[in-house]
């Protein structure tokens, strides 16, 4: 009998870009590098709202991302939009392949 065990091997993830969205007074889309398959979105300074159903969020409607928290997103980038819940919000985004 064999004492070998099998393990799932995770693909190596590499960073393929970064974006800071400093003006979220209106709903904004991402500028996604073509090779990106996922993004890590960090709410900086103030909370933001996001939606990924193709409808623009508002300051009171959408999924809330509180300041200092992160969202791992691997859905349809073209449908994702974000907006500031309060003036001064920023989104820092790292893209991965």
């Amino acid at each position: 009998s064999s004492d070998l065990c099998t393990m799932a091997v995770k693909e190596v993830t590499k960073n393929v870009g970064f974006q800071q969205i400093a003006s979220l007074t209106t709903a904004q889309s991402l500028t996604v590098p073509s090779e990106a398959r996922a993004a890590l979105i960090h709410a900086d300074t103030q909370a933001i709202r996001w939606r990924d159903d193709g409808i623009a969020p508002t300051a009171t409607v959408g999924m809330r991302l509180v300041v200092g928290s992160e969202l791992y997103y691997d859905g349809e980038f073209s449908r994702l939009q974000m907006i500031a819940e309060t003036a001064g919000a920023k989104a820092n985004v790292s893209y991965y392949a």
Side-chain angles (χ1 to χ4, degrees):
S1 81
S2 174
D3 290 329
L4 297 175
C5 68
T6 59
M7 296 175 50
V9 178
K10 179 185 178 296
E11 269 188 61
V12 174
T13 305
K14 71 174 184 172
N15 183 290
V16 294
F18 176 84
Q19 173 185 13
Q20 182 179 72
I21 304 173
S23 178
L24 288 167
T25 55
T26 60
Q28 300 292 314
S29 298
L30 301 176
T31 303
V32 183
S34 60
E35 64 271 31
R37 299 292 172 255
L40 186 62
I41 303 167
H42 176 84
D44 195 7
T45 313
Q46 299 291 339
I48 61 177
R49 298 275 179 163
W50 63 274
R51 288 180 68 161
D52 66 346
D53 58 357
I55 306 295
T58 69
T60 58
V61 177
M63 303 298 289
R64 189 168 196 245
L65 189 60
V66 298
V67 66
S69 64
E70 296 174 335
L71 167 67
Y72 175 82
Y73 187 81
D74 63 355
E76 291 183 64
F77 289 122
S78 64
R79 297 172 61 90
L80 180 67
Q81 296 180 65
M82 296 177 284
I83 194 168
E85 188 176 270
T86 304
K90 297 177 193 171
N92 292 310
V93 186
S94 286
Y95 296 99
Y96 298 93

